[in-house]
Amino acid sequence: MAQMVKKDDDRDEEADYSPFVGIEKGAVLQEARVFNDPQLDPRRCSQVITKLLYLLNQGESFTKFEATDVFFAVTKLFQSKDIGLRRMVYLMIKELSPCADEVIIVTSCLMKDMNSKSDMYRANAIRVLCRIIDGTLLTQIERYLKQAIVDKNPVVASAALVSGIHLLQTNPDIVKRWSNEVQEAVQSRAALVQFHALALLHKIRQNDRLAVSKLVTSLTRGTVRSPLAQCLLIRYTSQVIRESSTSNQTGDRPFYDYLEGCLRHKAEMVIFEAARAITELNGVSSRELTPAITVLQLFLSSSKPVLRFAAVRTLNKVAMTRPLAVTNCNIDMESLIADQNRSIATLAITTLLKTGNESSVDRLMKQITNFMSDIADEFKIVVVEAIRSLCLKFPLKYRSLMNFLSNILREEGGFEYKKAIVDSIVILIRDIPDAKESGLLHLCEFIEDCEFTYLSTQILHFLGNEGPKTSDPSKYIRYIYNRVILENATVRASAVCTLAKFGAMVDSLKPRIFVLLRRCLYDSDDEVRDRATLYLNTLGGDGAVVETDKDVKEFLFGSLDIPLVNLETSLKNYEPSEEPFDVKSVPKEVKSKPIAEPTGLRAPPAAAPAPTVDTYERLLSSIPEFSSFGKPFKSSAPVELTEAETEYAVNVVKHIFDGHVVFQYNCTNTIPEQLLENVSVIVDASEAEEFSEVAVTPIKSLPYGSPGQTFVAFEKPGGVTAVGKFLNVLRFIVKEVDPSSGEAEDVGVEDEYQLEDLEVVAADYILKVGVSNFRNAWESMDPDTERVDEYGLGSRESLAEAVGVVINLLGLQPCEGTEVVPNNARSHTCLLSGVYIGNMKVLVRLSFGIDSRKEVAMKLAVRSDDISVSDAIHDIVASG
Amino acid sequence: MENCPSVKNLLLLDSEGKRVAVKYYSDDWPTNQSKLAFEKSLFAKTQKTNARTEAEITLFDENVVVYKFVEDLHFFVTGGDDENELILASVLNGFFEAVTVLLRSSVDQREALTNMDLIFLCIDEIIDGGLILETDGTTIAGKVASHTIDEGAPLSEQTITQALAAAREHFTRSLLR
């Protein structure tokens, strides 16, 4: 009760000074009637407008009717000469954003103000008018605006320029005509005018690269006075640098001197803008970077938080790619860990984690522990990720880092945060053998009290793979079986799997595992019971202790070497019959390469879109002419033979057989008034000597919109990678179709349509098949089949481009994510695998190097099932 | 980054995080509700920090926010993730200084509420549709104050700035004539 009274007191007190206590829309709208009084009271009117603005500002909204009403009333106030009131009227009109027919009422008043003697009237009238008018009215006042841009009063000029920037979006053609005036305004002595003029001028010219480049060239030589304009110019300059991108012969970057000069500007915002621009230059050299880092380092010890934040944020970004460049700042950075501003402290820590050396790790961890509890989850994730990469860099320090991770794992946190920690621990376990046992125990403790089903199941799966290989697997059993007792069905089911894996791998544990699995047979959930039954049977749980045979281990642990998508489509196509589904019939080819860094718990990336190998096979086997060819070795992705949106759309799929090649032309007729008959492709194989045509199957009728296929088959020498170029012409009989009846005419005209050329290349004889462990696969191949040679690839844009070209040329599957080349890398190793025609396994190891002149050299090492295949791969590269 | 520096919003909140005056220039917050939610969480996040002597800064929802507190008034300026922090700070500084001049040095909520019209005009003179119009506090205050001077009021009742602004206007006008 006392509380209530106290509150009322507050109210009263507030009422003393707030003019808006108990303010209510209806009442204020009533008050707005004073606008219509014949004898205006400016002070009172101002107060009412303030109240209206206050209501709008608090989030109150007016109905259409109320807004119109207020608008008309407000327009009456133009009669008053009171400056203050006029100013409020301007504000009110902007807030109400009247519709077109209402605008007309105020235009004349505003235009009068635009030509008033008072600069304040003029500036504001311009801003209001430009905010509310449309294109036609704009042409009427264009003349005044052009004058205003070069007005000697800076406020007026700025008002016109800023309005121009806004109007450019809606009426670009009109504003573009003001170029000359804007250009003049760029030379203004008033700082802000210069800034606004430069912004507008650039916006007018932004689609013309040459003009922007000229603008930058002339202004960087001259003197731009305003710091804000200087910042703009720095942005435009880096844009020009980015787009020109080629440094000249001496290796100097154009305009770098200008950016470097800005580092000595007297305004901090300009110094910072320039420093940031330098750090963001493409492929910035250490020499270019140093002066920028030096000024940022000075900012780190500034008394202003904003300056420290800006500097540490930029340095943090630099540290991601160039940690060495930032190490000089480490001492200043360390003092920021205790910064009152937590954002600054977090950025400092993550920077240090990227740049730190082995000796500083322990000290850093101590400092971080103190501060982890009072930052937000998003920052924590950043810290965890930084710690993970630090640990991989200094494996000897795993103990303190692992302890840190397990400590924070026990604290409160959301899913994303916990997942980041678990992922990190898993990666450390994988990469640092010494860390395995302690890491697994930390994870075990975590699942004892884990609220996230996803994390529990992932950890159980991981435990099943890693746990049995440790020195004392039995100590994990308790944790796993606890899950069977305490958790939900999903977690219980994966716990059963984990138990089974321990049973299969560790014979001494088998009897105990069987006891536990048998208990699971009484589980309330189907899936849990099913799994327990399955494992008991496969492991021989009904009999005595038996040696688990290889098949069972393969079944439990073997990786499914079939892309999941392929399996899914095959299962969908399977029709229930006497014949059981055969996993071996699922195609193994991976269509598009999955590019994903293997991180943490995520399963090995599965293939993307479903290949249509199945459908091709069925289609081809249904054509009698091709039945003798056998199974196709490979079907290529469709290659377009026509431009988009032409009359006839044709693409081709190359089916490679052992002794034949079949081209499947998919044709679409895109003209409703035509019916095509007897459609075939005439292939000129004169540039493909080893091929001879054996069969053609035309399309009988190709009506509008429904695609059809015509095939051309060639014979070629078996087992040889015959290559060649084929010229194609589409031949058909065209018949006019009456659009109203849909009836075709009886008589047709023979016609031809030129298609693009088609090539059969070496890569067509190679299947993309990945291997999970390249090193093992490589070791298991006969070293005698190895062929090594070196090639020069000439000058290339970047290493990544060279790697991409070779991968495409060979048509092999990149393994272990090695197709991704880190930025600025000078050398790179790429691992490829696949199957060559004749079911020959091929593994390729590519080592690339790039020199300062962008010349790329490559070492190619091949191992395969047959030495002739290794030679063939070299031939492909040599001739490519 | 070839864009003009821009401001997403200016906020003036009281000591409980309630609106005194706000202005949004970006579509990031389409409804009043989302605006209020932004203000509420921003206030909660910054409330405990000491932004009284120097302006403070934080990253918030992919935005950079600079802020400064005086008495029971909390000033905020929000910009995009990759905006130059120092430019935003200069806007905040202009905002804060202009309000200080306009409220005649007793900068608190009470004074702000009684002079709400000046606060609205002040915000209007700093940013136009997200673009920076002016960052110098005294200039901004001068532009606002020149409208509110009662021409007939005795000089002694005007603050020095107002007097200066008035004088400057008289002077320019006489020149233009």
Side-chain angles (χ1 to χ4, degrees):
Chain A
M1 193 61 212
Q3 197 79 43
M4 291 292 287
V5 175
K6 177 81 179 59
K7 217 162 190 181
D8 277 355
D9 277 355
D10 276 358
R11 268 279 151 74
D12 289 347
E13 205 178 302
E14 202 177 337
D16 274 353
Y17 67 85
S18 173
F20 304 112
V21 164
I23 187 169
E24 204 261 317
K25 184 171 83 168
V28 180
L29 289 173
Q30 287 288 321
E31 279 185 73
R33 288 187 179 166
V34 296
F35 299 164
N36 295 318
D37 285 353
Q39 210 57 8
L40 281 176
D41 175 355
R43 192 172 292 269
R44 174 125 177 73
C45 290
S46 284
Q47 277 167 3
V48 176
I49 293 187
T50 308
K51 281 187 188 172
L52 287 167
L53 287 171
Y54 181 81
L55 280 173
L56 288 171
N57 209 275
Q58 293 295 314
E60 189 82 61
S61 58
F62 295 163
T63 64
K64 184 80 190 89
F65 177 76
E66 286 164 347
T68 316
D69 221 30
V70 170
F71 177 76
F72 278 112
V74 166
T75 56
K76 302 252 167 59
L77 300 178
F78 274 103
Q79 291 168 29
S80 166
K81 294 267 178 285
D82 186 276
I83 307 175
L85 177 58
R86 182 66 57 88
R87 207 42 232 282
M88 296 311 282
V89 169
Y90 292 146
L91 262 192
M92 196 66 211
I93 293 175
K94 276 203 270 191
E95 282 302 320
L96 288 171
S97 49
C99 62
D101 40 344
E102 292 168 352
V103 169
I104 298 171
I105 298 169
V106 283
T107 353
S108 60
C109 299
L110 286 169
M111 277 165 76
K112 208 174 120 203
D113 284 357
M114 253 175 74
N115 294 302
S116 136
K117 285 201 188 73
S118 157
D119 291 330
M120 283 302 165
Y121 274 12
R122 289 166 57 204
N124 281 295
I126 288 173
R127 285 175 56 200
V128 177
L129 200 51
C130 290
R131 177 64 62 84
I132 59 176
I133 57 174
D134 57 13
T136 41
L137 267 176
L138 181 59
T139 41
Q140 285 181 39
I141 59 161
E142 193 187 349
R143 185 163 60 92
Y144 302 111
L145 289 178
K146 276 174 152 182
Q147 271 169 25
I149 287 174
V150 290
D151 196 281
K152 55 182 167 303
N153 184 299
V155 183
V156 176
S158 278
L161 287 163
V162 169
S163 301
I165 297 176
H166 293 311
L167 287 169
L168 192 65
Q169 277 151 21
T170 48
N171 297 290
D173 300 332
I174 299 177
V175 180
K176 278 179 184 162
R177 293 201 291 255
W178 308 347
S179 259
N180 287 338
E181 286 77 10
V182 178
Q183 199 145 20
E184 197 181 324
V186 173
Q187 305 303 326
S188 164
R189 299 193 63 81
L192 268 298
V193 175
Q194 197 171 49
F195 165 59
H196 295 134
L198 183 56
L200 179 55
L201 193 60
H202 177 263
K203 272 206 182 332
I204 290 176
R205 297 183 176 173
Q206 62 185 351
N207 294 322
D208 182 352
R209 270 164 66 173
L210 195 66
V212 173
S213 173
K214 271 187 192 159
L215 177 71
V216 167
T217 314
S218 70
L219 287 179
T220 46
R221 271 192 231 120
T223 46
V224 174
R225 273 170 301 271
S226 136
L228 277 172
Q230 197 76 256
C231 286
L232 271 186
L233 189 55
I234 291 171
R235 291 183 189 184
Y236 302 155
T237 307
S238 20
Q239 184 194 0
V240 171
I241 294 178
R242 206 164 36 243
E243 280 166 3
S244 61
S245 83
T246 44
S247 51
N248 53 22
Q249 274 73 22
T250 55
D252 284 343
R253 207 185 284 268
F255 299 118
Y256 174 79
D257 289 345
Y258 165 73
L259 292 182
E260 209 245 324
C262 287
L263 294 176
R264 291 183 291 274
H265 198 276
K266 57 182 184 304
E268 282 162 346
M269 71 166 79
V270 178
I271 300 176
F272 173 67
E273 187 77 44
R276 194 170 66 161
I278 291 176
T279 64
E280 285 168 3
L281 289 176
N282 267 338
V284 60
S285 70
S286 306
R287 191 169 54 89
E288 290 169 323
L289 204 51
T290 311
I293 302 288
T294 311
V295 296
L296 290 173
Q297 186 176 4
L298 286 177
F299 285 174
L300 287 180
S301 43
S302 159
S303 65
K304 293 181 191 158
V306 175
L307 214 49
R308 296 199 299 271
F309 177 90
V312 76
R313 193 154 81 116
T314 311
L315 289 171
N316 187 307
K317 274 191 201 137
V318 177
M320 286 180 196
T321 49
R322 309 283 292 266
L324 282 181
V326 187
T327 34
N328 277 344
C329 311
N330 277 3
I331 293 176
D332 304 85
M333 206 69 90
E334 273 185 42
S335 59
L336 291 184
I337 295 180
D339 202 296
Q340 292 240 317
N341 185 317
R342 298 282 95 180
S343 307
I344 295 177
T346 313
L347 286 165
I349 282 193
T350 49
T351 315
L352 281 169
L353 289 175
K354 282 170 203 140
T355 60
N357 52 31
E358 197 147 4
S359 56
S360 64
V361 169
D362 287 322
R363 190 157 41 98
L364 265 179
M365 296 317 292
K366 214 172 190 175
Q367 283 169 306
I368 298 174
T369 316
N370 297 334
F371 119 126
M372 268 313 250
S373 56
D374 47 41
I375 57 172
D377 267 14
E378 56 194 32
F379 282 143
K380 288 181 184 167
I381 294 174
V382 176
V383 173
V384 167
E385 279 164 3
I387 286 177
R388 169 173 54 194
S389 43
L390 184 72
C391 193
L392 293 177
K393 207 160 98 189
F394 305 121
L396 289 175
K397 289 288 169 192
Y398 81 88
R399 213 179 295 273
S400 60
L401 295 168
M402 190 65 100
N403 272 337
F404 176 81
L405 288 175
S406 69
N407 281 336
I408 54 174
L409 193 54
R410 264 180 244 128
E411 280 158 21
E412 284 296 302
F415 173 73
E416 289 299 331
Y417 174 43
K418 288 287 161 88
K419 183 165 177 298
I421 303 173
V422 171
D423 277 352
S424 300
I425 294 184
V426 167
I427 287 177
L428 297 190
I429 291 174
R430 261 191 210 156
D431 290 8
I432 306 171
D434 291 345
K436 183 185 269 182
E437 304 238 341
S438 64
L440 284 179
L441 274 177
H442 288 315
L443 290 178
C444 282
E445 269 162 33
F446 174 61
I447 53 173
E448 288 277 56
D449 187 22
C450 170
E451 53 187 311
F452 307 108
T453 301
Y454 174 83
L455 289 181
S456 292
T457 53
Q458 298 288 307
I459 289 174
L460 282 169
H461 173 79
F462 184 70
L463 206 54
N465 290 340
E466 298 296 332
K469 298 180 208 156
T470 56
S471 58
D472 181 13
S474 64
K475 65 182 170 193
Y476 303 107
I477 303 293
R478 179 171 61 88
Y479 295 103
I480 303 167
Y481 191 65
N482 276 347
R483 306 277 67 70
V484 179
I485 306 170
L486 299 167
E487 295 280 357
N488 61 37
T490 315
V491 179
R492 291 204 302 274
S494 47
V496 168
C497 292
T498 309
L499 283 176
K501 285 179 180 172
F502 274 81
M505 295 293 281
V506 190
D507 286 330
S508 59
L509 285 177
K510 228 172 217 176
R512 290 160 67 188
I513 297 284
F514 287 151
V515 174
L516 297 177
L517 283 179
R518 272 190 214 108
R519 284 192 201 160
C520 301
L521 292 175
Y522 302 102
D523 197 280
S524 59
D525 185 77
D526 288 353
E527 177 71 24
V528 179
R529 286 198 307 271
D530 286 355
R531 287 194 189 188
T533 313
L534 172 72
Y535 291 129
L536 276 172
N537 278 323
T538 45
L539 296 177
D542 27 16
V545 180
V546 284
E547 192 78 7
T548 311
D549 62 24
K550 203 163 162 276
D551 283 351
V552 174
K553 277 188 186 160
E554 187 62 27
F555 172 72
L556 282 173
F557 298 107
S559 64
L560 189 65
D561 54 354
I562 307 166
L564 284 179
V565 204
N566 296 10
L567 181 61
E568 189 188 341
T569 37
S570 298
L571 280 171
K572 275 183 186 157
N573 291 338
Y574 173 70
E575 283 160 20
S577 65
E578 291 291 291
E579 205 181 320
F581 179 78
D582 185 5
V583 179
K584 293 195 182 75
S585 69
V586 179
K588 292 184 181 176
E589 190 184 354
V590 183
K591 262 284 158 88
S592 64
K593 49 187 180 192
I595 304 172
E597 256 179 87
T599 50
L601 292 168
R602 222 181 303 141
T612 45
V613 178
D614 273 3
T615 36
Y616 287 149
E617 212 175 307
R618 234 178 293 139
L619 185 70
L620 290 169
S621 60
S622 69
I623 300 166
E625 283 93 330
F626 306 149
S627 55
S628 62
F629 295 175
K631 264 181 94 143
F633 170 74
K634 180 182 181 179
S635 301
S636 76
V639 182
E640 296 297 333
L641 295 182
T642 50
E643 305 272 323
E645 293 167 32
T646 45
E647 298 101 305
Y648 315 108
V650 180
N651 65 42
V652 64
V653 179
K654 296 175 272 188
H655 301 288
I656 310 288
F657 293 78
D658 194 37
H660 295 86
V661 175
V662 174
F663 297 145
Q664 172 190 339
Y665 296 91
N666 301 311
C667 310
T668 313
N669 171 11
T670 62
I671 306 173
E673 296 83 21
Q674 283 188 1
L675 171 71
L676 306 186
E677 286 188 348
N678 211 4
V679 183
S680 62
V681 177
I682 308 302
V683 184
D684 174 359
S686 55
E687 289 182 53
E689 287 160 359
E690 289 172 283
F691 296 83
S692 56
E693 194 172 309
V694 290
V696 178
T697 60
I699 309 169
K700 293 233 158 44
S701 160
L702 187 66
Y704 162 69
S706 71
Q709 291 97 24
T710 165
F711 297 88
V712 181
F714 287 88
E715 199 170 25
K716 68 167 187 66
V720 176
T721 54
V723 296
K725 193 164 160 190
F726 300 84
L727 314 178
N728 309 296
V729 176
L730 191 68
R731 182 174 293 170
F732 46 83
I733 294 168
V734 57
K735 290 183 174 176
E736 295 289 318
V737 174
D738 182 351
S740 55
S741 65
E743 295 282 313
E745 281 175 20
D746 290 342
V747 190
V749 186
E750 191 159 312
D751 201 0
E752 284 185 355
Y753 188 81
Q754 187 68 43
L755 301 176
E756 296 192 11
D757 303 343
L758 167 68
E759 273 189 278
V760 170
V761 293
D764 288 327
Y765 296 96
I766 296 171
L767 269 186
K768 284 185 177 180
V769 178
V771 290
S772 52
N773 187 329
F774 189 88
R775 178 193 274 273
N776 282 356
W778 180 266
E779 302 291 323
S780 67
M781 304 284 278
D782 182 4
D784 291 339
T785 64
E786 184 166 325
R787 281 281 183 271
V788 186
D789 208 348
E790 290 184 8
Y791 300 88
L793 302 184
S795 180
R796 297 281 171 175
E797 186 87 347
S798 67
L799 208 49
E801 188 227 331
V803 172
V805 167
V806 178
I807 292 175
N808 279 337
L809 181 67
L810 291 175
L812 288 163
Q813 174 71 32
C815 301
E816 299 172 13
T818 53
E819 73 275 25
V820 183
V821 183
N823 268 350
N824 300 327
R826 310 308 275 148
S827 65
H828 184 72
T829 300
C830 181
L831 309 173
L832 306 173
S833 82
V835 172
Y836 193 75
I837 190 161
N839 216 6
M840 301 287 189
K841 202 164 165 193
V842 181
L843 295 175
V844 170
R845 192 174 247 167
L846 296 167
S847 311
F848 293 87
I850 189 165
D851 67 9
S852 57
R853 298 190 318 280
K854 305 234 169 195
E855 292 284 334
V856 178
M858 174 181 79
K859 185 172 140 189
L860 169 72
V862 191
R863 285 187 185 184
S864 65
D865 284 344
D866 191 289
I867 198 151
S868 66
V869 175
S870 305
D871 289 329
I873 297 285
H874 275 282
D875 287 345
I876 296 176
V877 175
S879 58
Chain B
M1 267 317 287
E2 44 275 7
N3 284 327
C4 205
S6 65
V7 171
K8 289 189 176 183
N9 65 39
L10 291 187
L11 310 177
L12 182 56
L13 306 181
D14 71 8
S15 55
E16 287 162 19
K18 295 209 190 69
R19 269 182 200 174
V20 176
V22 298
K23 184 80 187 165
Y24 286 80
Y25 308 100
S26 139
D27 302 330
D28 293 6
W29 304 274
T31 62
N32 189 45
Q33 238 150 10
S34 54
K35 287 173 187 158
L36 285 172
F38 175 81
E39 287 156 33
K40 193 176 168 204
S41 45
L42 179 61
F43 183 81
K45 188 179 164 135
T46 55
Q47 193 185 6
K48 292 206 184 80
T49 53
N50 178 17
R52 294 190 180 269
T53 42
E54 288 286 355
E56 278 288 346
I57 181 163
T58 186
L59 267 181
F60 183 69
D61 278 353
E62 316 253 304
N63 289 310
V64 177
V65 185
V66 288
Y67 53 99
K68 184 160 178 148
F69 306 154
V70 185
E71 297 289 331
D72 49 2
L73 286 178
H74 295 212
F75 295 77
F76 299 88
V77 175
T78 307
D81 188 23
D82 51 0
E83 195 47 83
N84 181 332
E85 292 89 341
L86 304 181
I87 293 181
L88 294 177
S90 76
V91 173
L92 176 72
N93 208 35
F95 185 19
F96 162 78
E97 273 179 10
V99 171
T100 311
V101 171
L102 288 168
L103 299 185
R104 305 173 194 213
S105 303
S106 65
V107 184
D108 55 26
Q109 190 190 353
R110 181 193 188 116
E111 207 54 36
L113 284 172
T114 21
N115 293 293
M116 213 53 210
D117 48 346
L118 298 186
I119 304 284
F120 286 140
L121 289 174
C122 174
I123 294 177
D124 185 58
E125 288 292 358
I126 300 171
I127 304 289
D128 184 292
L131 297 174
I132 300 167
L133 263 188
E134 177 61 71
T135 56
D136 180 68
T138 8
T139 316
I140 297 165
K143 281 156 92 178
V144 173
S146 67
H147 294 294
T148 51
I149 298 161
D150 195 342
E151 305 273 320
L155 212 58
S156 59
E157 282 182 19
Q158 298 176 7
T159 63
I160 292 175
T161 351
Q162 281 172 335
L164 272 176
R168 202 183 300 146
E169 201 180 18
H170 275 294
F171 182 61
T172 34
R173 257 192 232 162
S174 61
L175 273 182
L176 287 172
R177 241 167 238 157

